[in-house]
Coordinates of all heavy atoms in Angstrom, one line a residue:
Chain H
N311 N 3.9 19.5 -10.2 CA 4.4 20.1 -11.3 C 5.4 21.3 -11.0 O 5.8 22.1 -11.8 CB 3.3 20.7 -12.2 CG 2.4 21.6 -11.4 OD1 2.5 21.8 -10.2 ND2 1.5 22.3 -12.1
V312 N 5.8 21.3 -9.7 CA 6.7 22.4 -9.2 C 7.9 21.7 -8.5 O 7.7 20.7 -7.8 CB 6.0 23.3 -8.2 CG1 6.9 24.3 -7.7 CG2 4.8 24.0 -8.9
G313 N 9.1 22.2 -8.8 CA 10.3 21.6 -8.2 C 10.7 22.2 -6.9 O 11.3 21.5 -6.0
E314 N 10.3 23.5 -6.6 CA 10.8 24.1 -5.4 C 9.8 25.2 -5.1 O 9.3 25.9 -6.0 CB 12.2 24.7 -5.6 CG 12.7 25.3 -4.3 CD 14.2 25.7 -4.4 OE1 14.8 25.4 -5.5 OE2 14.7 26.3 -3.5
K315 N 9.6 25.5 -3.8 CA 8.7 26.6 -3.4 C 9.3 27.2 -2.1 O 9.8 26.4 -1.2 CB 7.3 26.1 -3.1 CG 6.3 27.1 -2.8 CD 4.9 26.5 -2.7 CE 3.9 27.5 -2.2 NZ 2.5 26.9 -2.1
K316 N 9.3 28.5 -2.0 CA 9.9 29.1 -0.8 C 8.9 30.1 -0.2 O 8.1 30.8 -0.9 CB 11.2 29.8 -1.2 CG 12.0 30.3 -0.1 CD 13.3 30.8 -0.6 CE 14.2 31.2 0.6 NZ 15.5 31.8 0.2
D317 N 8.9 30.2 1.1 CA 8.1 31.1 1.9 C 8.9 31.6 3.1 O 9.0 30.9 4.1 CB 6.8 30.5 2.3 CG 5.9 31.5 3.0 OD1 6.2 32.7 3.1 OD2 4.8 31.0 3.5
Q318 N 9.5 32.7 2.9 CA 10.4 33.3 3.9 C 11.5 32.4 4.3 O 12.3 32.0 3.5 CB 9.5 33.8 5.1 CG 8.5 34.9 4.7 CD 7.7 35.4 5.9 OE1 7.6 34.8 6.9 NE2 7.1 36.6 5.7
R319 N 11.5 31.9 5.6 CA 12.6 31.0 6.0 C 12.4 29.5 5.7 O 13.2 28.7 6.0 CB 12.8 31.2 7.6 CG 13.2 32.5 8.0 CD 13.5 32.6 9.5 NE 12.4 32.3 10.3 CZ 12.2 31.1 11.0 NH1 13.1 30.1 10.9 NH2 11.1 30.9 11.7
I320 N 11.2 29.2 5.2 CA 11.0 27.8 4.9 C 10.9 27.6 3.4 O 10.5 28.4 2.6 CB 9.8 27.2 5.6 CG1 8.5 28.0 5.2 CG2 9.9 27.2 7.1 CD1 7.2 27.4 5.7
A321 N 11.4 26.4 2.9 CA 11.3 26.0 1.5 C 11.1 24.5 1.4 O 11.4 23.8 2.3 CB 12.6 26.4 0.8
V322 N 10.5 24.1 0.3 CA 10.3 22.7 0.1 C 10.8 22.4 -1.3 O 10.6 23.2 -2.3 CB 8.8 22.3 0.3 CG1 7.9 23.1 -0.6 CG2 8.6 20.9 0.1
T323 N 11.4 21.3 -1.5 CA 11.9 20.8 -2.8 C 11.2 19.5 -3.1 O 10.9 18.7 -2.2 CB 13.4 20.7 -2.8 OG1 13.8 19.8 -1.8 CG2 14.0 22.0 -2.6
L324 N 11.0 19.2 -4.3 CA 10.4 17.9 -4.8 C 11.2 17.3 -5.9 O 11.5 18.0 -6.9 CB 8.9 18.2 -5.2 CG 8.2 17.0 -5.9 CD1 8.0 15.8 -4.9 CD2 6.9 17.5 -6.4
N325 N 11.5 16.1 -5.8 CA 12.1 15.3 -6.9 C 11.2 14.2 -7.2 O 11.1 13.1 -6.6 CB 13.5 14.8 -6.5 CG 14.2 14.0 -7.6 OD1 13.5 13.4 -8.5 ND2 15.5 14.0 -7.6
K326 N 10.3 14.4 -8.3 CA 9.3 13.4 -8.6 C 9.9 12.1 -9.1 O 9.3 11.0 -8.8 CB 8.4 14.0 -9.7 CG 7.1 14.6 -9.1 CD 6.0 14.5 -10.1 CE 5.1 13.2 -9.8 NZ 3.9 13.2 -10.7
T327 N 11.0 12.2 -9.8 CA 11.6 11.0 -10.3 C 12.0 10.0 -9.2 O 11.8 8.8 -9.2 CB 12.8 11.3 -11.2 OG1 12.4 12.2 -12.3 CG2 13.4 10.1 -11.8
A328 N 12.7 10.6 -8.2 CA 13.1 9.8 -7.1 C 12.1 9.7 -6.0 O 12.3 8.9 -5.0 CB 14.4 10.5 -6.5
K329 N 11.0 10.3 -6.1 CA 9.9 10.3 -5.2 C 10.4 10.8 -3.8 O 10.1 10.2 -2.7 CB 9.2 8.9 -5.1 CG 8.5 8.6 -6.4 CD 7.6 7.3 -6.3 CE 8.4 6.1 -6.5 NZ 7.6 4.9 -6.6
H330 N 11.1 11.9 -3.8 CA 11.6 12.5 -2.6 C 11.1 13.9 -2.5 O 11.0 14.6 -3.5 CB 13.2 12.6 -2.6 CG 13.9 11.3 -2.5 ND1 15.2 11.1 -2.7 CD2 13.4 10.1 -2.1 CE1 15.6 9.9 -2.5 NE2 14.5 9.2 -2.1
F331 N 10.9 14.4 -1.3 CA 10.6 15.8 -1.1 C 11.2 16.2 0.3 O 11.3 15.3 1.2 CB 9.2 16.2 -1.3 CG 8.2 15.5 -0.4 CD1 7.5 16.2 0.6 CD2 7.9 14.2 -0.5 CE1 6.5 15.6 1.4 CE2 6.9 13.5 0.3 CZ 6.2 14.2 1.2
S332 N 11.6 17.4 0.4 CA 12.3 17.9 1.6 C 11.8 19.2 2.1 O 11.4 20.1 1.3 CB 13.8 18.0 1.4 OG 14.3 16.7 1.0
L333 N 11.9 19.4 3.4 CA 11.6 20.7 4.0 C 12.9 21.3 4.5 O 13.7 20.6 5.2 CB 10.6 20.5 5.2 CG 10.3 21.8 6.0 CD1 9.4 22.7 5.2 CD2 9.6 21.4 7.3
H334 N 13.1 22.6 4.2 CA 14.3 23.3 4.6 C 13.9 24.5 5.5 O 13.1 25.3 5.0 CB 15.1 23.8 3.4 CG 15.5 22.7 2.5 ND1 16.8 22.2 2.3 CD2 14.7 21.9 1.6 CE1 16.8 21.2 1.4 NE2 15.6 21.1 1.0
I335 N 14.4 24.6 6.7 CA 14.2 25.8 7.5 C 15.5 26.4 7.7 O 16.5 25.8 8.2 CB 13.6 25.4 8.9 CG1 12.3 24.5 8.6 CG2 13.2 26.6 9.7 CD1 11.7 24.0 9.9
T336 N 15.6 27.7 7.3 CA 16.9 28.4 7.6 C 16.7 29.4 8.8 O 15.6 29.7 9.2 CB 17.2 29.3 6.3 OG1 16.1 30.2 6.0 CG2 17.5 28.4 5.1
E337 N 17.9 29.8 9.3 CA 17.9 30.7 10.4 C 16.9 30.3 11.5 O 16.1 31.1 11.9 CB 17.6 32.1 10.0 CG 18.6 32.6 8.9 CD 18.2 34.0 8.3 OE1 17.4 34.7 9.0 OE2 18.5 34.2 7.1
T338 N 17.0 29.1 12.0 CA 16.1 28.5 12.9 C 16.0 29.3 14.2 O 17.0 29.9 14.7 CB 16.4 27.1 13.3 OG1 17.8 27.0 13.7 CG2 16.2 26.1 12.1
Q339 N 14.8 29.4 14.8 CA 14.5 30.1 16.0 C 13.9 29.1 17.0 O 13.3 28.1 16.6 CB 13.6 31.3 15.7 CG 14.1 32.2 14.7 CD 13.1 33.2 14.1 OE1 12.0 33.2 14.5 NE2 13.5 34.0 13.1
P340 N 14.0 29.4 18.3 CA 13.4 28.5 19.3 C 11.9 28.2 19.0 O 11.5 27.1 19.3 CB 13.6 29.3 20.6 CG 14.8 30.1 20.4 CD 14.7 30.5 18.9
E341 N 11.2 29.2 18.5 CA 9.7 28.9 18.2 C 9.5 28.0 17.0 O 8.4 27.6 16.8 CB 9.0 30.3 18.0 CG 9.6 31.1 16.9 CD 10.5 32.2 17.5 OE1 11.2 31.9 18.5 OE2 10.6 33.3 17.0
D342 N 10.6 27.6 16.4 CA 10.4 26.6 15.3 C 10.4 25.2 15.9 O 10.1 24.2 15.2 CB 11.6 26.6 14.3 CG 11.6 27.9 13.5 OD1 10.5 28.4 13.2 OD2 12.7 28.4 13.1
S343 N 10.7 25.1 17.2 CA 10.7 23.8 17.9 C 9.3 23.2 17.9 O 8.3 23.9 18.4 CB 11.2 23.9 19.3 OG 12.5 24.3 19.4
A344 N 9.1 22.0 17.3 CA 7.8 21.4 17.1 C 8.0 20.1 16.5 O 9.1 19.7 16.2 CB 6.9 22.3 16.3
V345 N 6.9 19.4 16.2 CA 6.9 18.2 15.4 C 6.4 18.5 14.0 O 5.4 19.2 13.8 CB 6.0 17.0 15.9 CG1 6.1 15.8 15.0 CG2 6.5 16.7 17.4
Y346 N 7.2 18.1 13.0 CA 6.9 18.4 11.6 C 6.5 17.1 10.9 O 7.1 16.1 11.0 CB 8.0 19.1 10.9 CG 8.3 20.5 11.4 CD1 9.1 20.6 12.6 CD2 7.8 21.6 10.7 CE1 9.3 21.9 13.1 CE2 8.1 22.9 11.2 CZ 8.8 23.0 12.4 OH 9.1 24.3 12.9
F347 N 5.4 17.2 10.1 CA 4.9 16.0 9.4 C 4.8 16.4 7.9 O 4.3 17.4 7.5 CB 3.4 15.7 9.8 CG 3.3 15.2 11.2 CD1 2.9 16.1 12.2 CD2 3.6 13.9 11.5 CE1 2.8 15.6 13.5 CE2 3.5 13.4 12.8 CZ 3.1 14.3 13.8
C348 N 5.3 15.4 7.1 CA 5.1 15.5 5.6 C 3.9 14.6 5.3 O 3.5 13.8 6.1 CB 6.4 15.1 4.9 SG 6.8 13.4 5.1
A349 N 3.4 14.8 4.1 CA 2.2 14.0 3.7 C 2.3 14.0 2.1 O 2.8 14.8 1.5 CB 0.9 14.6 4.1
A350 N 1.7 12.9 1.6 CA 1.5 12.7 0.2 C 0.1 12.4 -0.1 O -0.6 11.7 0.6 CB 2.4 11.6 -0.3
I351 N -0.5 13.1 -1.1 CA -1.9 13.1 -1.4 C -2.1 12.9 -2.8 O -1.4 13.5 -3.7 CB -2.6 14.4 -0.9 CG1 -2.4 14.6 0.6 CG2 -4.1 14.4 -1.3 CD1 -2.9 15.9 1.1
L352 N -3.1 12.0 -3.1 CA -3.5 11.9 -4.5 C -4.8 12.7 -4.7 O -5.9 12.3 -4.2 CB -3.8 10.4 -4.8 CG -4.4 10.1 -6.2 CD1 -3.5 10.6 -7.3 CD2 -4.6 8.6 -6.3
S353 N -4.7 13.9 -5.2 CA -5.8 14.8 -5.2 C -7.0 14.3 -6.1 O -8.1 14.7 -5.9 CB -5.4 16.2 -5.6 OG -5.0 16.2 -7.0
G354 N -6.7 13.4 -7.0 CA -7.8 12.9 -7.8 C -8.5 11.7 -7.2 O -9.4 11.2 -7.8
G355 N -8.0 11.2 -6.1 CA -8.5 10.0 -5.5 C -9.2 10.3 -4.2 O -9.1 9.5 -3.3
G356 N -10.0 11.3 -4.2 CA -10.8 11.6 -3.0 C -9.9 12.2 -1.9 O -10.4 12.3 -0.8

Side-chain angles (χ1 to χ4, degrees):
Chain H
N311 58 351
V312 175
E314 184 173 354
K315 184 177 178 180
K316 192 172 181 180
D317 183 5
Q318 299 183 339
R319 295 187 297 109
I320 59 174
V322 58
T323 59
L324 171 65
N325 181 332
K326 265 210 94 176
T327 303
K329 294 190 278 187
H330 288 168
F331 58 114
S332 300
L333 177 72
H334 304 252
I335 307 173
T336 58
E337 300 171 27
T338 54
Q339 300 167 3
E341 52 265 36
D342 294 330
S343 295
V345 179
Y346 292 81
F347 295 98
C348 62
I351 299 174
L352 176 58
S353 67

